[in-house]
Amino acid sequence: MMIEIQPVGKPVQATVKVPGSKSYTNRALLVAALAEGKSHLSGVLFSDDTERMLDSLQKLGHQIEIDRDNCTVQMTGNGGKIPVETADLNIGNAGTAARPLVSYAALGHGTYRFDGAEPMRKSRPMADLLAALRQLGVTVKSKMGNDRFPLVVIANGLIGGSVRLNASKSSQFLTSLLMVAPATEQGMKIKLEGPLISQPYIDITLSVMRTFGASVTDHDYRLFTVPGGQTYQPRHYTIEPDASNASYFFALAAITGGCIRVDNLNRNSAQGDVKFVEILEQMGCRVNYLDNGIKVSGNGTLNGVEVDMNAISDTSMTLAAIAPFATSPTTIRNIEHCRWQESDRITAMVTELQRLGVEIEEFQDGLRIQPTTEMQPAEIETYDDHRMAMSFTLVGLKRAGIKIKNPACVNKTFPRYFQVLSQLVAG
């Protein structure tokens, strides 16, 4: 399937309600499952990734009441115990479910099988997490012998202890260990080897853990100490909007010279991607931080920028898509880890921008994009990557002849993206 995006010929003025954060939703679901008793979660995102988490937790024996119309979930936690001895879990391409659930399964007593989509089998890294779990005495086997999916966790309880972890390819490895650590007998001391990428996602993890009553000490993001024998407490918990998905609407204001407000998003959010608006400010937009939202106003002209996007790499694709409309080159650096996500995002961005006729230079850790006043029509490959589809849709709102292949891939985090966008531009 393919859709053609129709350009919008006027500044877009709108207020948007963006669905809940995928990162917060999947963390809250798992921590609520680890708690003792019933938690009520509101603002829940229902998308492919979060449905994978919900389905897996149900298969692991949790009682879950789901109200998709009102975006709520009531989760009955089992206090860190897994009541079933076997489960077959299909994670799809949901990294935020895959990595934490493998550690969670280690708390059980039994055999738990994991499989997923082709990227989880072929390209998305797991080896460093599995190495850490093996240090902690967990038996985990890779069917293909390559430390990727399919995996089998043969669990006999997770006692905890000291562990060294390389989180240079995914911060989700650290999140995975942190969230289960309170439920272990000994707790964990997690010492990082190598750099930690995407630090704000660890802030999200720590925020959710502490809100549900866990104690964790972070020593300059190099050593994390989590006492054992803790029990997460059930909570009423509200999930805030997804800052990564908000970036597309802020970028739309930038390229059309419009004004877009996203409700219920706060500049003090632990989501690092909220800082994408600071890049837009460098490019010449005006940003207003309101009591209950953030507003971005474009002025019709964008300046190129040179930015380190390691901490907010999910929005690097948003920036790459609008960079050709700037008046000077844009350079994005320090995002090498994007090569091991839903797609090799650096090469994907370069390939599709070149398809549009944009002059671009690729680095191992980023890219430099030259401005252009003309683009050629093109069919954009999305590589089954939701962020490719959502980002390059912005190009189509500015230039005619842009078609997006496999638009359904946005179901991963924002199933109604195209409907919401079309309502905005029609308003």
Side-chain angles (χ1 to χ4, degrees), residues 133-134 137-141 152-156:
L133 288 171
R134 288 168 182 144
V138 179
T139 299
V140 55
K141 299 179 180 180
V152 179
V153 176
I154 303 171
N156 192 29

Side-chain angles (χ1 to χ4, degrees), residues 243-244 250 265-278 289 294 312 315:
S244 307
F250 292 138
L265 195 60
N266 190 293
R267 73 183 302 174
N268 298 318
S269 169
Q271 295 182 78
D273 287 344
V274 76
K275 294 187 181 298
F276 178 72
V277 298
E278 296 178 7
Y289 298 98
I294 298 175
I312 59 170
T315 60

Side-chain angles (χ1 to χ4, degrees), residues 27-154:
R27 284 164 174 80
L29 288 171
L30 186 60
V31 169
L34 283 158
E36 186 74 71
K38 183 177 285 189
S39 293
H40 180 91
L41 310 179
S42 59
V44 173
L45 171 68
F46 290 101
S47 68
D48 187 70
D49 275 24
T50 60
E51 295 285 2
R52 299 286 182 172
M53 177 67 87
L54 285 163
D55 178 66
S56 296
L57 291 173
Q58 286 177 319
K59 289 177 178 175
L60 289 167
H62 289 281
Q63 295 179 9
I64 308 175
E65 300 171 42
I66 299 170
D67 184 344
R68 290 180 176 81
D69 291 338
N70 292 303
C71 299
T72 64
V73 165
Q74 292 193 68
M75 172 75 69
T76 301
N78 294 323
K81 299 178 178 64
I82 298 178
V84 301
E85 294 183 357
T86 61
D88 292 310
L89 310 178
N90 189 325
I91 307 299
N93 194 18
T96 55
R99 279 70 177 255
L101 282 168
V102 168
S103 294
Y104 180 59
L107 292 170
H109 292 81
T111 301
Y112 309 98
R113 296 177 177 83
F114 291 80
D115 204 352
E118 281 302 296
M120 291 302 304
R121 286 181 161 217
K122 290 187 174 180
S123 59
R124 303 201 71 180
M126 289 289 295
D128 292 317
L129 174 60
L130 302 188
L133 288 171
R134 288 168 182 144
Q135 289 176 53
L136 295 167
V138 179
T139 299
V140 55
K141 299 179 180 180
S142 168
K143 183 176 180 181
M144 306 304 293
N146 60 358
D147 278 347
R148 300 189 194 276
F149 279 29
L151 298 174
V152 179
V153 176
I154 303 171

